[in-house]
Amino acid sequence: MKKGRETEMAQGEMMQALRLNGIGDLRYESVPLPKRQSDEVLLWVRACGVCGSDIPRVFTKGTYHFPTIIGHEFAGEVIDADDLSLIGKGAAVFPLIPCRECSACNEGQYAQCANYDYYGSRCDGAMSQYIAVKKENLVLIPEGVSYMAAAMCEPAAVSLHAFRKADVYENDTVVIFGVGPIGLLFASWVREADAKHVVLVARSEERADFARKLGFIDVVDSSVTDVEEYVSKLTGGAGADVCVEGTGSSDALELCLKCTGNFGRVVTMGNPVGDITLSQDAYWKILRKELKLVGTWNSSFSEKQNDWEDVLEAMKDRVIDPEALITHVFGLKDYEKAFQIMHEKTEPYCKVMFTMDER
Ligand SMILES: [Zn+2]
Ligand SMILES: [Zn+2]
């Protein structure tokens, strides 16, 4: 710890953070420095992504209580811990704090915990200079992986978890609806699995272009292309082996059911934006084609399967390149601009990221 900072922290015990004080009332303000418990470490947050879910959290839906520091996609440096070997280490953080008492927790299925806490929604998150986090939630960053890449661990782990649910085989045709960070990361895993076709469906030309720039070839803009026809042509009428609903909309789910071939899989991954309804015709597709609908939620973080460790390994080996998805980087104090881009869609974006260089 730098000497100046130490004195400052001892005197003021304050830090800067983005705190949600009510719906639509996000402020960059001075807040008390978190005090860590013995099972926690103090992390100097180095990077924190803005999740799509942060937009309704800030502007329309709010969160469980106010004020709350938001931010759940983050990585940083351990600056205080009981275990001295951790100090100075970089770590990403699984944002869900399981109760470790319910039946799901006993199975290590923390995403299904009946009574969990969550950094950045149920309790204070990481759009701040520092955060106290459970030691058990740390995943150490391997050499060569940046803090910004590590802050992408959450969407990357969510995408890997969904990919694992999809059972993609070599030579499969996979269609992904939605080209946000999770959709694009999902597409990266599919590409790695030697699928025959990875089709990305965007809802605008701008978004389609961004996906093409990342090297994806089969990218269609659903506002101008008939997706069902496109997939049918591509597969010689057979339909896709797997379709992924990554937008949370009825339209996309309807298209997923129509684009998937006999005995195919449909993965529901997008958070629904409202009620999801289906036409009778689309519903029949589930029956007639004997489709398998697969839900996916969050990520695994247990000894049996740890999507987070696998994701960091993949980043280290350059299997995925999450930094390519980062279109905007801001300091915390420029939060208004950062949130405006995502909320009002004032310019094209994929992942908006905050970095904190000062301590
Ligand atoms: Zn998120
Ligand atoms: Zn539990």
Side-chain angles (χ1 to χ4, degrees):
M1 202 176 281
K2 279 181 224 149
K3 199 136 192 245
R5 182 72 220 173
E6 213 169 306
T7 325
E8 196 186 312
M9 273 161 74
Q11 279 171 358
E13 301 278 333
M14 300 298 274
M15 65 168 183
Q16 293 303 112
L18 281 188
R19 204 156 65 156
L20 190 61
N21 289 280
I23 294 175
D25 186 9
L26 186 64
R27 291 182 222 159
Y28 177 64
E29 55 192 354
S30 205
V31 304
L33 187 81
K35 287 196 173 48
R36 74 171 179 88
Q37 308 295 314
S38 61
D39 63 344
E40 292 176 324
V41 306
L42 188 66
L43 203 69
W44 166 24
V45 183
R46 300 298 305 274
C48 182
V50 186
C51 178
S53 71
D54 287 324
I55 302 305
R57 186 167 291 120
V58 169
F59 294 101
T60 52
K61 294 213 166 88
T63 188
Y64 299 84
H65 52 82
F66 300 109
T68 299
I69 299 169
I70 57 168
H72 60 267
E73 302 180 356
F74 61 105
E77 182 184 326
V78 178
I79 58 166
D80 188 28
D82 279 1
D83 178 355
L84 296 179
S85 73
L86 286 173
I87 292 174
K89 295 252 164 71
V93 181
F94 180 57
L96 186 151
I97 309 159
C99 75
R100 296 185 192 276
E101 283 173 5
C102 72
S103 60
C105 282
N106 284 333
E107 305 268 306
Q109 304 287 9
Y110 301 127
Q112 278 71 35
C113 172
N115 186 26
Y116 63 89
D117 216 341
Y118 214 93
Y119 296 121
S121 63
R122 295 176 183 228
C123 62
D124 279 340
M127 288 185 191
S128 56
Q129 286 178 290
Y130 305 94
I131 182 173
V133 290
K134 299 278 183 206
K135 183 183 165 216
E136 302 218 44
N137 287 49
L138 296 179
V139 197
L140 295 182
I141 305 173
E143 194 123 351
V145 175
S146 72
Y147 280 114
M148 278 208 274
M152 297 286 287
C153 249
E154 199 258 3
V158 167
S159 72
L160 178 61
H161 191 72
F163 170 75
R164 286 174 160 161
K165 296 270 168 197
D167 271 340
V168 173
Y169 298 100
E170 215 178 303
N171 281 320
D172 272 0
T173 292
V174 181
V175 185
I176 302 157
F177 291 79
V179 292
I182 295 175
L184 290 167
L185 286 160
F186 191 108
S188 306
W189 303 115
V190 177
R191 187 156 64 178
E192 198 56 28
D194 289 326
K196 191 184 213 164
H197 300 290
V198 190
V199 182
L200 279 158
V201 182
R203 281 192 283 197
S204 74
E205 200 46 43
E206 269 168 357
R207 293 217 135 195
D209 261 346
F210 186 75
R212 287 188 195 104
K213 283 199 191 100
L214 295 172
F216 294 104
I217 302 155
D218 286 309
V219 186
V220 293
D221 169 7
S222 63
S223 67
V224 293
T225 306
D226 182 329
V227 182
E228 200 181 344
E229 199 180 285
Y230 181 93
V231 174
S232 175
K233 256 190 206 154
L234 192 70
T235 56
D241 299 284
V242 176
C243 278
V244 183
E245 198 304 292
T247 71
S249 71
S250 302
D251 295 0
L253 181 60
E254 177 110 3
L255 269 174
C256 280
L257 299 171
K258 290 178 175 170
C259 291
T260 307
N262 293 336
F263 317 111
R265 276 104 52 216
V266 174
V267 181
T268 52
M269 182 176 82
N271 260 320
V273 289
D275 287 347
I276 300 290
T277 52
L278 289 175
S279 69
Q280 187 181 30
D281 187 40
Y283 189 84
W284 252 320
K285 305 286 183 200
I286 307 174
L287 278 61
R288 289 175 187 275
K289 295 194 277 192
E290 298 197 350
L291 302 179
K292 202 187 218 175
L293 259 70
V294 192
T296 177
W297 187 247
N298 210 315
S299 51
S300 292
F301 191 79
S302 69
E303 272 161 36
K304 259 184 273 169
Q305 188 188 311
N306 192 316
D307 298 321
W308 287 66
E309 280 171 7
D310 297 344
V311 154
L312 279 169
E313 240 358 77
M315 288 183 190
K316 187 183 104 199
D317 298 340
R318 303 282 177 255
V319 171
I320 57 165
D321 177 16
E323 276 177 285
L325 306 183
I326 301 169
T327 48
H328 296 79
V329 180
F330 293 102
L332 278 181
K333 64 177 180 347
D334 298 319
Y335 71 101
E336 279 176 319
K337 169 98 176 141
F339 278 88
Q340 188 190 34
I341 289 168
M342 290 178 68
H343 184 46
E344 294 168 29
K345 304 192 171 27
T346 46
E347 50 190 273
Y349 68 91
C350 185
K351 177 54 74 181
V352 177
M353 179 79 58
F354 288 114
T355 55
M356 295 62 137
D357 298 326
E358 284 170 38
R359 48 180 285 198

